[in-house]
Amino acid sequence: MWSFKTRPVATPILESSYPLSNTPNSRPRQIAFINETEVYILKSSGPNSTDIERTTLETRATGVVYQAADSEQVVSILPSLSQDTLWFSHVNKPGQPITYSYINTISPDEVDIVPFTSSPTADTYWAKAAQISEDEVIFAVSVNPDEYANFPKHVLVSLTRTGALYANKTLLAKNCTSFMTTQAHIVFTTSQHLLKFVHLTIPEGE
């Protein structure tokens, strides 16, 4: 806890701590915080065993919410821009492209793994996920309301090692060197040293 309400600013106070798993061969690789109440850890337990572990801070309960299949590799985990959803990238089988999924928490003891069907077809290694406002989705399908369910409610902004920047499956730029997302924009730099802004909306072609 760190209070900024007093002057001078007080020293941070350690409220609690929780040790990482000391299971033999367990190797934590990444950590992500969701809703300020949950901690997710991507860890490997041997060469062919990877899982995502969740700790609920209020109860200190820890459990595995996703375990990779024998032929699957989980590449990374990342929180959404609003810090309310955990995303992860994975390769289902050797030789297949990287795809993305996210975890929906149904109850404290139950989660739902949702494959993101609008993942780009290229291998992307850096990603940020944002949610499109309900009003914008409704406006986009106002001509044909029956198509509402088919429109993605999320925009996954991702980057390949060669500089191809995607919003879901839509290619935004081929010469991107870095990017970040806000609630309203995708901001990225190019190899020509330009700074570009793209309004965060439903990608064309979705």
Side-chain angles (χ1 to χ4, degrees), residues 90-102:
H90 53 125
V91 178
N92 291 322
K93 293 181 180 179
Q96 291 187 350
I98 291 175
T99 57
Y100 292 82
S101 299
Y102 58 92

Side-chain angles (χ1 to χ4, degrees), residues 41-182:
I41 297 176
L42 172 63
K43 66 176 186 176
S44 297
S45 303
N48 299 313
S49 178
T50 304
D51 54 47
I52 300 174
E53 187 179 84
R54 178 183 66 183
T55 296
T56 304
L57 295 180
E58 289 98 337
T59 63
R60 293 295 190 268
T62 299
V64 174
V65 294
Y66 187 80
Q67 187 165 22
D70 291 340
S71 59
E72 180 185 10
Q73 179 188 5
V74 179
V75 181
S76 63
I77 60 175
L78 62 141
S80 63
L81 187 63
S82 55
Q83 298 285 317
D84 61 359
T85 306
L86 185 83
W87 288 68
F88 63 96
S89 61
H90 53 125
V91 178
N92 291 322
K93 293 181 180 179
Q96 291 187 350
I98 291 175
T99 57
Y100 292 82
S101 299
Y102 58 92
I103 298 175
N104 266 343
T105 301
I106 300 173
S107 70
D109 301 318
E110 185 180 4
V111 298
D112 185 27
I113 307 300
V114 182
F116 188 59
T117 57
S118 295
S119 298
T121 54
D123 282 334
T124 56
Y125 295 88
W126 301 273
K128 298 288 184 182
Q131 188 164 2
I132 297 299
S133 70
E134 198 76 5
D135 291 342
E136 189 163 358
V137 174
I138 293 173
F139 176 78
V141 296
S142 58
V143 176
N144 187 359
D146 294 335
E147 289 297 314
Y148 173 79
N150 298 326
F151 274 82
K153 311 305 185 296
H154 303 277
V155 172
L156 181 75
V157 184
S158 57
L159 180 65
T160 69
R161 287 174 175 167
T162 57
L165 181 67
Y166 288 86
N168 293 355
K169 294 181 179 181
T170 302
L171 179 64
L172 298 180
K174 296 181 178 180
N175 59 347
C176 176
T177 53
S178 67
F179 76 95
M180 66 174 292
T181 56
T182 72

